[in-house]
Amino acid sequence: MIRLTIIGSGNVAQHLIKAFSASSLVEIVQAFSRKKEALTHLLDAEKIITDFSALKETDLFIISVSDNAISEVSKQIPFENKLVIHTSGTTSIDVLDSKNRKGVFYPLQTFSKNKAVDFSIIPICLEADNQEDYDILETTAKSISNAVFSISSEQRKALHVAAVFVNNFTNHLYQLGQEICEEHQVPFEILKPLIQETADKIKTLNPAEAQTGPAKRHDSVTTDAHLDYITDENQKNIYKILTQSIQNNGKKL
């Protein structure tokens, strides 16, 4: 049984608490939150602390706070030679205070507090300074996920950038599509099967092979007509940039 402490009460921290609470291999001893009520719907009140001086010694301390707070929070842990890890996609392992052993436990997924997720399929990217600590992290990760990977800090940066493209940027394009539909009284629901099919295709096809549309076909008649139709300058600029990017795919620039 791995005894652990979770520090933080945001989206990632709350989803980790839910996942670890269902694991038979892990025990959540404590969770730290600046506001106790932020976690009382997930844990017994006596397990939630609001002062670092109340921390108990556990096998693992998981820091799940904003990136710019990780370093300072790691300094507040009043122990030495404990395994302390963070959950950030972009922050180096080196920001953690050196009085303790260091690691990273990065679940690559988009989290919303009120949206349930199946943690068993979420990739968890691990990093540690030595094999013994990595083994602890691997056991912890495998207690909630079937997709566990050894990823360095540099590789994690690349993954996070890629994730922004395929998740955050894509979702923003959904928003723009919804705005265009609403402007012209067209139900956005009509586009959802297309969105689903596009996502499903890359399960069996390389994204480059799955690409379709007027930009891919170099159909300037259609792309020019679209640009003439679009009145919003932000949408027009994004359309131009993405069209050019698709058409430049595979070319040496």
Side-chain angles (χ1 to χ4, degrees):
M1 178 74 71
I2 294 174
R3 302 171 72 251
L4 61 81
T5 300
I6 295 177
I7 300 175
S9 58
N11 289 345
V12 176
Q14 292 200 23
H15 279 282
L16 284 174
I17 289 171
K18 291 176 185 176
F20 286 131
S21 294
S23 170
S24 60
L25 300 178
V26 170
E27 177 192 358
I28 301 174
V29 176
Q30 288 180 315
F32 175 93
S33 173
R34 284 175 293 184
K35 295 181 178 180
K36 199 162 189 172
E37 59 270 21
L39 297 178
T40 49
H41 63 295
L42 296 174
L43 290 170
D44 293 338
E46 62 268 20
K47 287 190 173 185
I48 306 168
I49 61 170
T50 58
D51 193 317
F52 285 106
S53 64
L55 282 173
K56 298 177 181 178
E57 291 194 51
T58 54
D59 301 314
L60 181 62
F61 292 85
I62 302 177
I63 299 175
S64 186
V65 299
S66 60
D67 289 2
N68 59 5
I70 293 172
S71 178
E72 185 58 34
V73 168
S74 72
K75 294 175 184 176
Q76 300 300 312
I77 296 174
F79 307 114
E80 294 184 3
N81 199 33
K82 293 296 179 180
L83 182 52
V84 177
I85 65 177
H86 70 67
T87 61
S88 169
T90 59
T91 307
S92 170
I93 192 175
D94 296 324
V95 305
L96 294 165
D97 191 273
S98 58
K99 69 185 177 187
N100 284 301
R101 290 139 46 214
K102 305 175 184 179
V104 177
F105 189 101
Y106 170 48
L108 204 167
Q109 185 54 276
T110 175
F111 294 101
S112 298
K113 285 180 183 176
N114 298 320
K115 175 68 169 64
V117 296
D118 179 1
F119 236 101
S120 69
I121 62 172
I122 293 176
I124 299 180
C125 304
L126 304 179
E127 182 179 8
D129 282 339
N130 60 68
Q131 188 60 47
E132 184 177 354
D133 286 342
Y134 182 87
D135 291 343
I136 294 172
L137 294 187
E138 186 176 50
T139 299
T140 304
K142 286 185 175 180
S143 75
I144 58 174
S145 172
N146 297 320
V148 178
F149 300 88
S150 174
I151 300 291
S152 70
S153 285
E154 196 61 33
Q155 290 173 319
R156 193 160 25 85
K157 286 181 186 178
L159 263 178
H160 198 266
V161 171
V164 167
F165 272 95
V166 303
N167 172 238
N168 305 126
F169 289 170
T170 300
N171 189 72
H172 182 62
L173 295 178
Y174 295 158
Q175 179 187 339
L176 296 183
Q178 184 176 30
E179 289 173 0
I180 292 169
C181 285
E182 290 176 350
E183 181 183 354
H184 298 279
Q185 294 80 52
V186 177
F188 183 65
E189 296 290 322
I190 295 174
L191 291 174
K192 289 185 178 179
L194 175 64
I195 292 170
Q196 187 62 57
E197 175 61 17
T198 303
D200 287 343
K201 276 203 294 188
I202 62 166
K203 294 177 182 178
T204 55
L205 292 176
N206 181 292
E209 297 171 338
Q211 186 68 56
T212 60
K216 172 71 171 179
R217 300 191 302 270
H218 290 260
D219 179 358
S220 60
V221 173
T222 299
T223 56
D224 288 347
H226 286 173
L227 289 169
D228 286 340
Y229 184 78
I230 298 170
T231 56
D232 182 282
E233 285 302 314
N234 181 52
Q235 293 174 3
K236 192 185 292 281
N237 288 332
I238 291 172
Y239 188 102
K240 288 178 181 177
I241 290 169
L242 291 177
T243 294
Q244 192 62 59
S245 180
I246 292 169
Q247 292 179 347
N248 287 339
N249 187 48
K251 295 181 181 178
K252 291 184 179 179
L253 302 178

